[in-house]
Amino acid sequence: MASVWGALPEFQAGQMMMQLMKQLMTNQPPMPPNPMTPWRFGDPEVLQQDLKDAGFSVVTCTPFSHPMTFAWADLVTFLLGPHGQLRLMLTKLKSDGRSDVDEEAEEMLRSIVQDRGWIHDDEVHLQNTALMFTAVKT
C-alpha cells in the first residue's frame, strides 16, 4: 500500500509550485502529456495501467482529500529556503545572472496564494487530493 499526489487540478500545492516555476523560468517549452512529476500518477486510470504494465495483477486505487495549512514563513522556507523544494532551480537562476531571484520568488509566491484566495492572516490553506493504492504482483 502506498499513496501518490492526485492530479494537478486537485492538488493546490502542486498548482502553486508549477505557477511559480512558470513565472520564474520564462521561455520554457510546453510540458508533454503525463510528464514525470510528483503528480504524474494522480490519474487513477494511468496509475492502474502503469502498475499493470509493470506486472501487478491486482490493483486498487482510492482518492482522498486532505487540507494542508502552513504559516506563511514556513511555506517560504519549505519552498525557497536553503533546503527548499525549489532551491536547485533558484540557484541555477542566480548563476544565470538573476541575483534578485530569491526576493522575486517570494513576491511571486505571495501573489499566487493571494490571487487564488489561499492565504488568510498569514496562513496558507491548501486542499489536496492523493490516491491510496494497493498493488499485488503475482
Side-chain angles (χ1 to χ4, degrees):
M1 178 180 280
S3 66
V4 294
W5 288 118
L8 195 55
E10 290 87 38
F11 180 44
Q12 291 177 340
Q15 293 172 30
M16 178 183 58
M17 288 189 287
M18 287 297 294
Q19 183 66 38
L20 181 58
M21 287 188 291
K22 285 179 186 178
Q23 288 180 17
L24 286 168
M25 300 189 67
T26 57
N27 301 324
Q28 295 296 309
M31 289 181 66
N34 293 319
M36 294 307 283
T37 65
W39 45 89
R40 154 93 166 91
F41 300 107
D43 180 335
E45 291 177 10
V46 171
L47 175 62
Q48 290 173 333
Q49 188 58 55
D50 284 349
L51 289 168
K52 288 177 181 175
D53 291 348
F56 291 89
S57 57
V58 180
V59 178
T60 61
C61 188
T62 306
F64 69 95
S65 293
H66 60 92
M68 293 172 73
T69 299
F70 293 91
W72 171 250
D74 292 342
L75 180 64
V76 170
T77 299
F78 175 72
L79 293 176
L80 309 175
H83 304 287
Q85 297 288 306
L86 303 179
R87 176 50 41 201
L88 185 61
M89 178 185 69
L90 295 175
T91 300
K92 170 72 171 116
L93 290 171
K94 272 187 172 182
S95 73
D96 289 346
R98 300 227 350 233
S99 60
D100 62 344
V101 73
D102 287 324
E103 296 81 17
E104 185 182 353
E106 186 170 344
E107 289 171 15
M108 288 176 177
L109 181 60
R110 171 75 74 167
S111 177
I112 291 165
V113 297
Q114 284 177 331
D115 290 349
R116 295 190 181 208
W118 295 340
I119 189 167
H120 307 282
D121 299 325
D122 260 1
E123 281 192 340
V124 179
H125 303 273
L126 306 170
Q127 186 65 32
N128 297 291
T129 297
L131 301 174
M132 293 291 294
F133 69 92
T134 58
V136 178
K137 201 169 203 175
T138 55

